[in-house]
Amino acid sequence: MPLKSGAVGRVDLDWLYCFLAFHQGYRMAVLHTLLTPLRGLCRALLGRWLEYRHVEAQATPLDPTRPTIYVLPHPALSDTLALELMTHREGLPRARGHIDLGGARLPACVALPRLSRGLTQVRGRRSLALDSLLEQLAEHPEQDIQLVPVSVFWGRAPGKDFGFWKLLAADSWQWTGRLRRLLSMAVNGKHVQVHLGAPLQLRSLIETRPLPVAQRKMARVLRVHFRRVRARVLGPDLSHRNTLIRGVVDSPQVRQAIREAATARGTREERETRRALRYGREIASNTSYPVLRFLYQLLRRLWNRLYDGVSVNGLDDVKALAGDHELVYVPCHRSHIDYLLLSYVLFREGLMPPHIAAGRNLDMPLIGPLLRRGGAFFLRRSFRDNRLYAAVFNEYVHRLISRGHPLEYFIEGGRSRTGRMLTPRPGMLAMTLRSFARDPRREVAFVPVYVGYEKVLESGSYLKELRGGRKKKESPFDLLRVVRRLRQPYGHVTVNIGEPLRLSGFLDHHVPAWREHRREARPDWLTQAVTTLGATLAQRINAAAAITPISLTALSLLATSHHAMEADLLKHHMRLLTRLRQHLAGGERITLPTGDPEAWIAHAAHLGFIERHPQALGELVLATPEQATLLTWYRNNVLHLFIDMALVAFAYRHNARFDLAQLRALLGPTWPVLAHEFHLPAEDFDARLHRALDALTSEGLLVQSAQDWERPAGHLESSEHLRLLGRLVQPTLERGYLLLAVLLREGSGTLTRDALEEHSRQLAERLTLLSGLNAPEFFDKRLFSGLLDTLEAQGWLWREGDKLCYDAVLEQAQERGRALFDPSLRHRLTQLVHRQEA
């Protein structure tokens, strides 16, 4: 029977398909036969060369007894071989060969196929191996398997050496070709980072969904995981700078600002648009992966020259958030080294360095372009009167946050010249809050960071400024000065991560209705929320402080009249301070120095902070006037950690015995002032008082009876320790006494705030000169300003017009506070005020 032409065509096609399939299978068999020895040779060579860092998910560790299949984000022989070698060396389920599942042989390692890129969209292809795996599990309900996602990064592990080829061959967001991958294996084989994700249990996936849905769900979960890991390690994919700037200028918010600026200035919108583009180029960073790697290598060598080491604590909390949170790092600002050090630490630990808000004063020749390519974006110190600049900057920050770029800025604004945590400024915090309220889909997490130096690089300039010198403007020649200091010892650096703060939870707690008004340009709740947020972050930074041998030396020596102590007494007091700190709750993130007091004193002498004088009756340790002035900076770094115990100790300076009610009445009104100055929670004074009393009693500094606490006899060493501890809070209490004495003498409604601040500052300066003290930070005007802020916030003061007013309650509180001071000290302060008025 003759066949129809269509049938003949189908038969011919069937034969053609069979022939092609046979030919393809024959080719694959031949290729497999030829490539298997070559693959073994590559594995053997790579095994001799490969060094890796294994990063495993913390939440769900790998179960080595369960059938395991590893999944790579894309096909790459180098990644497969690296994974095979790692699993073999560490005794994990093998990634080489096949596993048996219900009679079927499945590959132990598979890769997601590359995305197919069309003209208008990117589509994910199906993985036949993973689809067949799910089908096999569906047919065998008694079987289960764990799917382990694996990400391999070449040239991204810490410790790699500097070199052009390493910069060229290291991983980035772009998929690499075969030649560059071969180069990467040769150059970066000793610097590989392997991330094992949390195992995915496939049985639970197919039991709750039809098979086709489970296949799509599995592929989507894997691709999201790989993208999050890649974003955590490499940062978000960097947009072209010019495109980003053009998008900022074309946004509705900036276009509105352009129209308003054109109307106000009487210019055309085209001219204001060019001005906005100029602002965008002035602000925007130009992050470059090769420059980041270059800076890492440069900084690694710099830290090895400058410091004995860099310790990092608490970074696991950051790694847990990095995948699906927008991270905003908020370090304390003590040195220009802060932002370089934090970026170095994050890069070393496998996290993407943040985009850093830097002052425009750093956008100088040589330094500015390098910082800009390292992730810095620049802002003017003030742009309140330039609404167009403010609109461009706000939109730029919003785009960074919405795209998932980590940020870093200093809530204090400038560097602290006194070593204290400065009052947070609202600018960048307000921008972050507005950006999150505008698009709250991606959670924002603030990461407080405390950086503790044993010797800060700017010691010389800070010393001059503490003595009244003017702040020196930065210049490129500062690099030469740094080079000259490379031979000097600078001790150890500690980077402590504070408790992260999730912004949505913070707003839900403090501003429950924020979502209802989040689309407003400047909602009513913003100002108070920014103030509370800044105070909370400052407290969390302080709660992660690092106590160093230098800060312990400063706390002890500066508590003496002439900055000199017997060496044995100094050792006992330094050890006592560490034990007292351990007694207090809330110190989980605080770090203490290792070693013993003898080593601490020797280290302080080595860094040039003290002098040791042998003497027939025992060694003496002292600080010269210059050293004492510099030590105030390091004392102020950690003074807040002891201020509650110091306040209790100071109460016993003039009084031998107190019961709990007397201490609460005497010290309670003072605590909010101290809490504001030292950025501590003001609402838990009773709990702090009990903990301080328990700590002092346990160390023998107070003796507890049935009803009260008594100081020890004056001839005992514990009495001397109590006196030294109380001296820590004395400068703050003296400042408060001076300010209130001036205000009460002049009367309610007679002084403006500025006049009271300046007059109190002058009296404090005069007191230091008459007392022979070399402590310029004692009369820092900002401390008096903070004191007045607290008194106004607590309702002790209020303004009528521009005058400060008070009532009899303040007079009564000041009268009760007089009991803290012994008669001689009270007489000296009172006489100083009266003579100045006369």
Side-chain angles (χ1 to χ4, degrees), residues 65-69 99-104 106 132-146 200-207:
T65 63
R66 182 170 296 184
T68 303
I69 290 182
I99 64 172
D100 293 324
L101 186 67
L106 300 172
S132 62
L133 171 62
L134 288 179
E135 292 171 359
Q136 190 70 19
L137 287 177
E139 295 175 1
H140 299 275
E142 73 284 358
Q143 298 287 344
D144 193 9
I145 200 166
Q146 59 183 354
L200 178 63
Q201 309 300 331
L202 296 186
R203 173 59 57 189
S204 59
L205 189 68
I206 63 175
E207 286 179 349

Side-chain angles (χ1 to χ4, degrees), residues 322-365:
D324 51 4
H325 287 70
E326 162 62 19
L327 298 181
V328 180
Y329 298 93
V330 283
C332 61
H333 200 11
R334 307 286 162 81
S335 168
H336 278 314
I337 297 297
D338 294 338
Y339 41 84
L340 299 176
L341 183 64
L342 182 57
S343 294
Y344 164 81
V345 164
L346 294 174
F347 195 92
R348 188 187 72 177
E349 296 296 326
L351 294 169
M352 182 63 184
H355 286 245
I356 306 166
R360 192 184 175 192
N361 58 309
L362 296 178
D363 191 12
M364 64 185 94

Side-chain angles (χ1 to χ4, degrees), residues 470-622:
R470 298 184 61 183
K471 176 187 174 185
K472 184 182 177 297
K473 186 177 181 180
E474 292 82 2
S475 75
F477 296 105
D478 291 338
L479 280 179
L480 300 178
R481 299 186 183 93
V482 171
V483 172
R484 290 204 304 266
R485 298 172 189 165
L486 291 181
R487 296 183 181 275
Q488 300 180 22
Y490 285 90
H492 196 86
V493 183
T494 303
V495 179
N496 288 342
I497 306 299
E499 181 186 358
L501 184 148
R502 290 176 173 83
L503 189 50
S504 62
F506 171 84
L507 290 176
D508 289 340
H509 177 73
H510 293 280
V511 193
W514 69 273
R515 299 177 191 273
E516 302 172 9
H517 307 282
R518 65 182 184 85
R519 296 191 179 277
E520 298 176 8
R522 193 172 185 86
D524 294 336
W525 52 263
L526 183 64
T527 300
Q528 184 58 42
V530 167
T531 302
T532 307
L533 177 61
T536 304
L537 292 176
Q539 292 168 13
R540 296 196 181 191
I541 293 172
N542 270 350
I547 300 175
T548 68
I550 310 306
S551 59
L552 288 173
T553 303
L555 288 168
S556 304
L557 277 184
L558 296 182
T560 63
S561 301
H562 302 287
H563 309 141
M565 291 182 72
E566 296 174 339
D568 289 339
L569 178 62
L570 176 59
K571 294 173 188 177
H572 293 163
H573 195 70
M574 294 171 76
R575 179 60 76 187
L576 172 68
L577 290 175
T578 61
R579 292 199 304 268
L580 286 174
R581 184 56 251 180
Q582 291 172 329
H583 281 295
L584 300 184
E588 296 80 8
R589 297 177 184 268
I590 295 170
T591 55
L592 297 171
T594 57
D596 57 77
E598 174 60 36
W600 299 343
I601 295 174
H603 189 56
H606 172 66
L607 295 181
F609 288 107
I610 58 174
E611 296 181 0
R612 307 181 73 171
H613 286 262
Q615 207 266 343
L617 299 180
E619 183 184 28
L620 299 177
V621 179
L622 58 87

